[in-house]
């Protein structure tokens, strides 16, 4: 796939009279067309600064930001504004104009691009349709729920047919089920419209749910990058391990060294774990579980520990595969 | 009350003075806003987190405004009037007073506008810039429309302040209710004249405030329901 964004030695230092803060340091990152690229890190790691440097909302102290081959840092103001129309952005707090209706919010970027009124209105309505808000054209943002506001923001960000959509903690202000619906919408946009998506988040769940690639940022630098499946299966750095298997206590390594992280994303009606133990006759150790009971079944995650016995491990894996439950494997050595 | 009014001045006299007061206050408020809005915007955008951050401009403009605002109105007016009369060329009529009022009220209005501008959520400004809007477009098509209700509330407060100034200016010759209250009420010891003028001034302020607040509320879509 062709690369669409390339960051080279990107550094941003905030300086005022008293403090010097290195927010990001020597960041090298390549994002390819069609990616849903997750950038994850703890609070203060530099995530927001990084994504804001991509469209130059924050002016990097040094380094380069290539977008479709052009170094944005070298552009004149007017050229940069032109380019920004091709880079959509959504925010944690939605940032809608409260005194404009939903429709007029989506019209705003089209006004900037000097699109004729009729064409612009058609386009805006079409986009609001896409995000499922065709009945809210004349509502004001204050009359919408958080999820609906973010949908308006998404429609607005897509108005000028951007090739990239930047999302800064776009679901952090939403409840879990709304988060999921917004993530699904983003995935749809990525697949149907071919728009590359960059997602900043501190929630592993977000990366797991929709990203194909992930970068882990900690203390202003990128510690690890790669395909989500690979990084999750085999995290290399302490911070990556921490993010992927958070808050696990002491694990009895005598029992076994293999951990499985099960994800119940499709709703589960049967008592799977009990059934698994009965069918496979393997005694598993449940390390952690966060399962939610919904109206039509359970969703959530569970981490289980398996005994050190290849046969048992294979049986459990087999069972899970036939039941269509996704899982990831790692070693207890992963925990430091 | 009716007999009191007819005892000194006919009803039409008060109506006439009320209209004169409204004219002077209206024109002064309008002109103060014509000057005060750009100055308020300039104050805001040159400030430390502003779109066109520029400390020197902000500091100088801020200092001038603070000095003008520290001067008691009536002293400022008598200091400026001779120069204004020379400049304007008329020694009669409302023009010199109006100019004086505008000079005194503009700094007040600029601060009112500046404080309204502080209400904008900076995230909205960033979203606009991220969409490729210029800073100027952002100021005029995002920031100002977003804070319009606050600007209108500010305008009703400014109107009341300028009305107060006009009444004070009445003591040194500006026409209107203030002058009537002072000359025919206070100097000529007709307390009923003073009281009638006072009531009329209060009524004017109340009407404008009520109307202003209603418009502001009507134009504000931030709150649910209303
Ligand atoms: N405008 C600014 N001025 C000074 N320091 C800043 C500024 N913006 C960010 N920083 C500092 O840069 C560092 C990285 O901040 P950033 O907002 O990028 O973190 P983050 O990973 O997005 O955190 P969070 O998850 O809390 O949003 C922090 O130490 C922060 O205090
Ligand atoms: Mg952040």
């Amino acid at each position: 796939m062709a690369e669409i964004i390339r960051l080279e030695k990107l550094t941003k230092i905030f300086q005022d009279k008293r403090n010097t803060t290195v927010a990001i340091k020597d960041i090298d990152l390549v994002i390819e067309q069609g990616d849903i690229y997750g950038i994850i890190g703890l609070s203060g790691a530099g995530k927001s600064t990084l994504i804001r440097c991509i469209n130059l909302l924050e002016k990097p102290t040094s380094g380069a930001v290539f977008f479709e081959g052009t170094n944005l840092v070298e552009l004149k103001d007017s050229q940069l504004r032109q380019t920004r129309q091709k880079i959509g952005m959504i925010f944690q707090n939605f940032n809608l104009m409260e005194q404009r209706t939903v429709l007029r919010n989506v019209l705003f970027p089209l006004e900037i691009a000097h699109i004729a009124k009729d064409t612009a209105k058609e386009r805006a309505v079409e986009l609001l349709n896409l995000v499922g808000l065709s009945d809210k054209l004349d509502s004001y943002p204050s009359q919408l729920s958080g999820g609906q506001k973010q949908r308006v923001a998404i429609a607005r960000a897509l108005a000028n047919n951007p090739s990239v959509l930047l999302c800064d903690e776009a679901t952090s202000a939403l409840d879990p089920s709304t988060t999921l619906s917004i993530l699904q919408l983003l995935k749809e946009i990525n697949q149907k419209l071919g728009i590359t998506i960059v997602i900043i988040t501190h929630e592993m769940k977000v990366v797991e749910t929709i990203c194909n690639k992930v970068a882990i940022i900690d203390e202003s630098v990128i510690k690890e990058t790669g395909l989500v499946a690979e990084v999750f299966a085999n995290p290399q750095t302490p911070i990556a391990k921490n993010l992927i298997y958070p808050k696990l206590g002491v694990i009895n390594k005598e029992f076994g060294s293999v951990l499985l992280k099960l994800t119940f994303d499709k709703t589960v009606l049967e008592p799977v774990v009990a059934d698994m133990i009965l069918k496979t006759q393997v005694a598993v150790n449940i390390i952690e579980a966060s399962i939610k009971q919904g109206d039509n079944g359970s969703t959530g995650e569970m981490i289980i520990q398996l005994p050190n016995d290849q046969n048992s491990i294979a049986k459990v894996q087999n069972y899970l595969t036939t039941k269509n439950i996704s899982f990831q494997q790692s070693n207890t050595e992963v925990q430091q | 009350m009716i007999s009191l009014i007819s005892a000194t001045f006919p009803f039409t006299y008060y109506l006439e003075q009320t209209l004169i007061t409204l004219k002077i206050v209206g024109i002064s408020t309008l002109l103060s806003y014509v000057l005060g809005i750009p100055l308020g915007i300039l104050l805001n955008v040159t400030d430390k987190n502003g779109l066109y951050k520029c400390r020197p401009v902000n500091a100088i403009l801020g200092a001038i405004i603070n000095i003008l605002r520290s001067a008691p109105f009536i002293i400022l007016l008598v200091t400026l009037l001779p120069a204004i009369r020379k400049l304007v060329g008329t020694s009669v009529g409302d023009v010199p007073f109006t100019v004086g009022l505008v000079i005194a009220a503009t700094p007040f209005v600029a601060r009112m506008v500046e404080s309204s501008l502080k209400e904008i959520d900076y995230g909205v400004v960033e979203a606009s810039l991220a969409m490729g809007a210029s800073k100027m477009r952002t100021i005029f098509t995002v920031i100002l429309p977003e804070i319009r209700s606050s600007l209108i509330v500010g305008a009703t407060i400014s109107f009341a302040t300028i009305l107060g100034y006009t009444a004070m200016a009445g003591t040194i010759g500006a026409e209107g209710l203030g002058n009537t209250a002072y000359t025919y009420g206070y100097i000529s010891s007709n307390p009923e004249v003073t009281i009638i003028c006072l009531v009329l001034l209060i009524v004017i302020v109340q009407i404008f405030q009520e109307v202003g607040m209603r418009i502001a509320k009507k134009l504000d879509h931030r709150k649910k329901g209303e």
Side-chain angles (χ1 to χ4, degrees):
Chain A
M1 277 287 192
E3 81 175 40
I4 187 158
I5 293 170
R6 170 185 287 274
L7 309 180
E8 281 179 5
K9 294 235 162 287
L10 199 62
T11 299
K12 174 72 191 185
I13 300 169
F14 290 106
Q15 201 144 23
D16 57 30
K17 281 177 210 113
R18 263 164 249 146
N19 303 308
T20 303
T21 312
V22 181
I24 53 170
K25 191 171 185 311
D26 290 333
I27 302 271
D28 290 313
L29 197 69
V30 174
I31 296 169
E32 295 183 326
Q33 209 148 13
D35 276 346
I36 302 186
Y37 209 117
I39 298 173
I40 185 165
L42 301 172
S43 184
K47 306 181 295 289
S48 295
T49 308
L50 175 59
I51 203 166
R52 290 157 52 79
C53 278
I54 295 180
N55 62 359
L56 258 67
L57 273 183
E58 210 72 76
K59 207 172 155 23
T61 309
S62 64
V65 180
F66 289 96
F67 170 71
E68 293 181 341
T70 319
N71 185 355
L72 302 189
V73 176
E74 288 167 355
L75 291 185
K76 287 189 297 196
D77 270 6
S78 60
Q79 296 170 312
L80 177 62
R81 291 202 297 273
Q82 211 71 38
T83 310
R84 278 177 175 166
Q85 295 181 15
K86 293 289 150 211
I87 308 176
M89 187 168 193
I90 57 173
F91 305 84
Q92 177 169 359
N93 298 318
F94 325 120
N95 295 345
L96 298 177
M97 288 170 268
E98 304 257 23
Q99 311 291 11
R100 282 185 175 230
T101 59
V102 164
L103 179 66
R104 290 191 60 232
N105 263 284
V106 181
L107 284 174
F108 182 73
L110 297 163
E111 287 163 17
I112 299 171
H114 304 293
I115 308 291
K117 270 210 171 93
D118 297 352
T119 326
K121 178 150 188 218
E122 234 170 82
R123 172 91 183 124
V125 171
E126 176 194 328
L127 283 162
L128 285 165
N129 233 336
L130 174 81
V131 299
L133 288 179
S134 40
D135 57 334
K136 297 283 184 197
L137 301 188
D138 298 320
S139 301
Y140 286 92
S142 65
Q143 299 166 317
L144 303 181
S145 70
Q148 290 172 327
K149 283 184 199 173
Q150 197 60 290
R151 284 167 187 271
V152 177
I154 290 170
R156 185 174 72 170
L158 297 180
N160 284 317
N161 291 310
S163 36
V164 173
L165 180 62
L166 307 176
C167 313
D168 187 1
E169 301 272 11
T171 57
S172 298
L174 306 174
D175 63 50
S177 73
T178 313
T179 294
L180 211 59
S181 77
I182 293 292
L183 293 178
Q184 270 156 6
L185 176 63
L186 290 176
K187 183 144 210 169
E188 217 176 287
I189 286 163
N190 169 260
Q191 285 170 348
K192 278 198 198 153
L193 310 178
I195 294 174
T196 307
I197 297 181
V198 183
I199 293 186
I200 293 290
T201 183
H202 63 271
E203 291 172 296
M204 213 60 208
K205 188 101 194 89
V206 171
V207 177
E208 281 174 345
T209 311
I210 63 165
C211 296
N212 66 323
K213 291 185 191 154
V214 63
I216 289 163
I217 181 169
D218 187 40
E219 295 176 334
S220 317
V221 297
I222 298 243
K223 290 280 167 70
E224 209 167 322
T225 60
L227 295 172
V228 170
E230 283 171 14
V231 173
F232 273 41
N234 199 7
Q236 300 294 313
T237 54
I239 178 70
K241 291 167 189 171
N242 239 324
L243 284 164
I244 294 166
Y245 294 95
K247 55 186 172 17
L248 288 193
V250 183
I251 291 171
N252 175 5
K253 289 182 186 165
E254 303 289 296
F255 179 77
S257 61
V258 173
L259 294 179
L260 287 189
K261 179 173 182 177
L262 317 184
T263 310
F264 306 110
D265 45 0
K266 297 154 217 80
T267 46
V268 176
L269 281 170
E270 318 150 52
V272 213
V273 179
D275 188 53
M276 175 180 83
I277 295 167
L278 286 173
K279 292 254 166 72
T280 59
Q281 290 292 311
V282 176
V284 305
N285 187 15
I286 296 176
I287 305 275
E288 196 192 79
S290 63
I291 309 284
K292 278 201 188 64
Q293 295 295 340
D295 287 341
N296 20 336
S298 324
T299 56
E301 289 176 355
M302 180 180 285
I303 296 174
I304 55 174
Q305 189 180 19
L306 302 181
N308 269 333
D309 155 20
Q310 284 309 317
N311 197 15
S312 304
I313 294 170
K315 273 198 225 161
V316 169
Q317 287 173 337
N318 245 330
Y319 176 86
L320 292 171
T321 314
T322 45
K323 287 283 170 185
N324 230 339
I325 294 163
S326 57
F327 62 91
Q328 263 138 8
Q329 185 173 337
S330 73
N331 281 315
T332 43
E333 273 77 62
V334 152
Q335 298 296 314
Q336 69 298 33
Chain B
M1 196 72 173
I2 301 289
S3 61
L4 265 181
I5 293 175
S6 45
T8 44
F9 289 116
F11 168 71
T12 47
Y13 178 80
Y14 287 104
L15 182 66
E16 189 191 350
Q17 293 306 307
T18 303
L19 290 177
I20 290 171
T21 298
L22 283 177
K23 190 184 92 185
I24 297 176
V25 178
I27 292 175
S28 306
T29 308
L30 200 74
L31 292 177
S32 304
Y33 263 86
V34 168
L35 298 171
I37 287 183
L39 287 174
I41 294 174
L42 195 60
L43 271 176
N44 178 268
V45 298
T46 55
D47 202 3
K48 50 178 177 301
N49 293 315
L51 286 172
Y52 297 92
K53 184 178 157 183
C54 180
R55 295 299 291 160
V57 171
N58 190 270
I60 292 168
L61 189 60
I64 295 172
I65 285 175
N66 284 346
I67 289 167
L68 284 175
R69 287 205 51 203
S70 320
F73 167 70
I74 200 72
I75 311 293
L76 183 66
L77 188 63
V78 293
T79 314
L80 293 175
L81 267 181
I84 295 172
R85 287 203 167 112
K86 231 177 238 164
L87 218 79
V88 181
T90 45
S91 52
V92 283
D94 310 327
V95 181
F97 286 110
T98 307
V99 173
L101 279 165
V102 171
I103 293 174
T106 297
F108 178 80
V109 170
R111 284 290 186 210
M112 290 301 279
V113 171
E114 189 203 13
S115 90
S116 291
L117 285 165
K118 285 192 179 137
E119 281 180 23
I120 189 81
D121 173 2
Y122 195 69
V124 177
V125 175
E126 289 209 315
S128 169
L129 296 175
M131 283 183 267
S134 65
K135 292 176 184 177
M136 279 296 170
R137 179 188 282 272
T138 302
I139 292 170
F140 289 102
T141 66
V142 178
I143 300 178
L144 291 180
E146 283 294 298
I147 60 160
R148 62 194 176 190
S149 287
S150 170
L151 287 175
I152 289 167
V153 171
T156 64
I157 296 170
S158 302
F159 179 88
T161 304
I162 293 169
L163 185 75
Y165 287 175
T166 316
M168 281 191 254
T171 61
I172 56 166
E175 284 185 278
L177 290 171
N179 183 268
T180 304
Y182 179 69
T183 316
Y184 302 105
Y186 179 69
I187 301 285
S188 316
S189 302
N190 276 325
E192 72 274 12
V193 175
T194 328
I195 287 172
I196 290 169
C197 289
L198 177 66
V199 169
L200 285 171
L201 285 166
I202 290 173
V203 168
I204 294 172
V205 171
Q206 290 305 314
I207 290 175
F208 270 79
Q209 224 146 57
E210 188 59 28
V211 170
M213 293 301 173
R214 276 187 193 200
I215 296 174
K217 209 166 185 184
K218 182 133 202 177
L219 285 179
D220 192 355
H221 299 289
R222 277 176 298 184
K223 303 239 159 50
K224 262 190 176 138
E226 294 171 11

